[in-house]
Amino acid sequence: MPEHKILLNESELPTHWYNVIPDLPTPMSPYMGPDGQPITPESMQAIFPPAIIEQEMSDQRWIEIPEPVRDALCLWRPSPLYRAKRLEEALGTPAKIYFKHEGVSPAGSHKPNSAVAQAYYNRQAGIRRLTTETGAGQWGSSLALAGQMFGLDVHVYMVNVSYHQKPFRRSMMQTWGAEVIPSPSRKTETGRQALEKDPDNPGSLGLAISEAVEEAAGREDTNYALGSVLNHVLLHQTVIGQEAKAQLAKVGETPDVILAPCGGGSNVGGIMFPFLADKAAGKDIRMVAVEPSSCPTLTRGHYAYDYGDSVGLTPIMKMYTLGHDFMPPGIHAGGLRYHGDSVLVSQLYHEGILEAVAVPQIATFEAGVLFSRTQGIIPAPESAHAVRGAIDEALKAKAEGKEKTILFTLSGHGHFDMAAYDRYFAGDLEDFDYPDDALNQALHNLPDVE
Ligand SMILES: *Cc1c(COP(=O)(O)O)cnc(C)c1O
């Protein structure tokens, strides 16, 4: 019997997170304040607890996972690693395809891996309320779950268009006790200004971040939590890659290529960073971030300092960006439609250690459907990007008649995204390439920081 599903038991859950910062080939580009100077840990204290700020800038390679966080993670971890045998057969490829199934968490994606850690550290610091933003609803539901587990009230600013398109993600957050507010809202100065300009504003992730940060900065008992992009989030996600490595080792495998869908970069960092040491030691491992061609941050963005949100409340970060005022077109409002990317992923991509590809929407859904019909698991549209990337790698192996071992993150299931699948089946989806003039326009609005 070939191995289709490779499991670890609870005692094999990683005891530490892997911090890539000390292993970067060049020092990390610092976060900057509006004055053009590197920001200090103190300036982050209005919205983050001390442990998170320390992790954000830590040069310690291994950071111990607190016991209550490991306990929480054990509700769904270690997650299974599957060999996609049926997909391989359907493609007729000599490649072996493995995927790490992060859709087994209660919220249905990898995001709770960081949410439980963030809720724990905030509670430890005496915080009672957390604010956050959510696009597709994945992060909001993860933080709602984590807030419930560690006794915190959670306020979620949900991008207006998703609030209406994804009513069940909203119900899910409410079931876990969170308050959900469509963004832009009248609760914040940022929201009120946006609504004044356009009462039908569909919202954006950047705008929702601004609202959540504004509320957290204005209240003592309230902090902010971010579901991607920042170093500590990528750190918390490294359980994915560590487990995958141990699972592959059980069947005597190492990957030739690792793929992950890339929004803000947290599951890219999560699955890839634990393999960087092997790459540095000479093992030929390609690492490929897969993004949508409608939001081509790494493949077509500028590598420059930019804000993490739309109105400029967050630190200025050196990253690939489409411009902080990027407004994604209203087509499927997925978790990959963020204007920027993690500083760490951006830097490793800039140095040629990570690669990136952009894939169009229709081919992505086609891959999602083939995966559903062969492996049974319906991928989130975000995850279907990695499925597309993995299928393309497997077809390339077939054309070249070469064996190869492919690993990718199935970052979440698509049970709340069936409306998007419906639109695909109805032929209503379009491919959309982000226009050149919009890219050039974005360059003019970048902050003046070098
Ligand atoms: C949020 C999300 C992503 C993208 O976020 P990253 O931080 O880039 O990992 C990908 N897949 C799913 C299912 C998500 O919910």
Side-chain angles (χ1 to χ4, degrees):
M1 260 298 276
E3 297 249 25
H4 288 239
K5 185 160 109 193
I6 304 144
L7 299 174
L8 299 176
N9 54 44
E10 282 182 17
S11 65
E12 293 170 288
L13 181 79
T15 56
H16 292 72
W17 291 300
Y18 167 62
N19 176 22
V20 75
I21 294 174
D23 292 330
L24 289 173
T26 52
M28 192 189 93
S29 311
Y31 297 169
M32 297 293 197
D35 57 356
Q37 295 302 309
I39 60 161
T40 58
E42 294 74 48
S43 65
M44 296 167 89
Q45 279 168 5
I47 57 170
F48 292 124
I52 293 287
I53 296 170
E54 198 186 312
Q55 290 179 358
E56 196 53 31
M57 306 185 164
S58 173
D59 55 10
Q60 200 186 319
R61 185 170 290 119
W62 295 100
I63 296 174
E64 192 167 3
I65 308 176
E67 212 43 52
V69 175
R70 292 188 80 228
D71 253 17
L73 290 173
C74 271
L75 275 183
W76 66 93
R77 304 204 75 83
S79 68
L81 179 83
Y82 286 86
R83 171 129 180 232
K85 269 270 180 191
R86 289 164 183 272
L87 177 63
E88 290 170 18
E89 276 159 29
L91 297 171
T93 177
K96 294 179 205 160
I97 307 174
Y98 289 91
F99 66 93
K100 184 75 168 147
H101 187 12
E102 291 296 312
V104 296
S105 78
S109 76
H110 65 294
K111 291 201 172 71
N113 296 335
S114 182
V116 291
Q118 294 190 47
Y120 167 78
Y121 287 122
N122 275 291
R123 182 62 207 229
Q124 284 292 96
I127 291 296
R128 311 311 300 224
R129 288 165 87 245
L130 287 176
T131 62
T132 196
E133 75 292 333
T134 198
Q138 294 270 23
W139 170 245
S141 45
S142 303
L143 196 69
L145 164 76
Q148 191 55 240
M149 291 175 84
F150 288 98
L152 291 144
D153 288 339
V154 174
H155 287 221
V156 183
Y157 288 90
M158 185 170 190
V159 177
N160 193 28
V161 47
S162 308
Y163 185 88
H164 296 289
Q165 277 174 5
K166 308 228 165 171
F168 297 131
R169 275 277 166 202
R170 184 182 67 204
S171 326
M172 199 175 184
M173 291 185 252
Q174 289 162 340
T175 304
W176 281 318
E179 188 186 325
V180 189
I181 308 128
S183 165
S185 78
R186 302 213 168 270
K187 293 187 79 163
T188 65
E189 189 51 42
T190 312
R192 286 189 291 274
Q193 278 179 15
L195 287 172
E196 215 154 277
K197 271 197 223 149
D198 175 9
D200 300 318
N201 195 315
S204 72
L205 214 44
L207 202 48
I209 295 175
S210 305
E211 287 205 275
V213 171
E214 185 185 319
E215 187 187 334
R219 286 185 61 142
E220 269 296 298
D221 64 346
T222 305
N223 267 349
Y224 168 71
L226 189 65
S228 185
V229 181
L230 296 181
N231 304 342
H232 66 270
V233 184
L234 275 67
L235 174 80
H236 300 154
Q237 295 294 353
T238 58
V239 290
I240 303 175
Q242 292 184 67
E243 286 177 11
K245 204 165 162 176
Q247 285 162 311
L248 284 174
K250 286 198 174 206
V251 289
E253 294 272 12
T254 53
D256 297 304
V257 52
I258 308 176
L259 302 109
C262 191
S266 77
N267 88 95
V268 163
I271 194 159
M272 295 178 192
F273 290 176
F275 288 91
L276 282 174
D278 304 298
K279 192 174 164 83
K283 173 98 181 61
D284 184 17
I285 310 176
R286 293 176 48 226
M287 303 186 185
V288 187
V290 189
E291 59 184 19
S293 45
S294 56
C295 184
T297 317
L298 290 171
T299 50
R300 290 174 65 207
H302 305 290
Y303 189 46
Y305 269 102
D306 198 5
Y307 291 105
D309 67 330
S310 62
V311 298
L313 289 174
T314 63
I316 305 169
M317 297 177 283
K318 180 91 179 264
M319 61 184 177
Y320 282 86
T321 176
L322 299 171
H324 58 274
D325 41 12
F326 167 78
M327 271 284 173
I331 46 180
H332 84 90
L336 304 187
R337 302 188 149 268
Y338 178 60
H339 70 272
D341 219 317
S342 141
V343 169
L344 297 172
V345 167
S346 293
Q347 192 164 329
L348 288 163
Y349 174 66
H350 190 68
E351 287 170 7
I353 294 165
L354 305 184
E355 300 169 36
V357 291
V359 295
Q361 178 161 245
I362 294 173
T364 298
F365 274 89
E366 193 191 322
V369 170
L370 177 62
F371 190 81
S372 305
R373 291 181 182 174
T374 49
Q375 295 304 130
I377 300 162
I378 300 174
E382 294 88 351
S383 315
H385 288 75
V387 176
R388 179 74 258 168
I391 289 177
D392 290 344
E393 287 291 335
L395 292 175
K396 204 160 70 186
K398 180 182 177 180
E400 292 167 356
K402 268 196 205 143
E403 283 189 15
K404 110 169 114 175
T405 302
I406 300 168
L407 167 67
F408 74 91
T409 354
L410 191 78
S411 51
H413 68 63
H415 298 179
F416 292 89
D417 303 285
M418 296 320 295
Y421 277 88
D422 276 350
R423 293 189 58 198
Y424 166 72
F425 290 126
D428 286 348
L429 293 185
E430 285 169 25
D431 284 337
F432 178 85
D433 275 327
Y434 200 63
D436 277 327
D437 51 346
L439 284 172
N440 295 332
Q441 186 55 41
L443 186 63
H444 296 300
N445 297 341
L446 292 176
D448 197 12
V449 173
E450 292 282 317

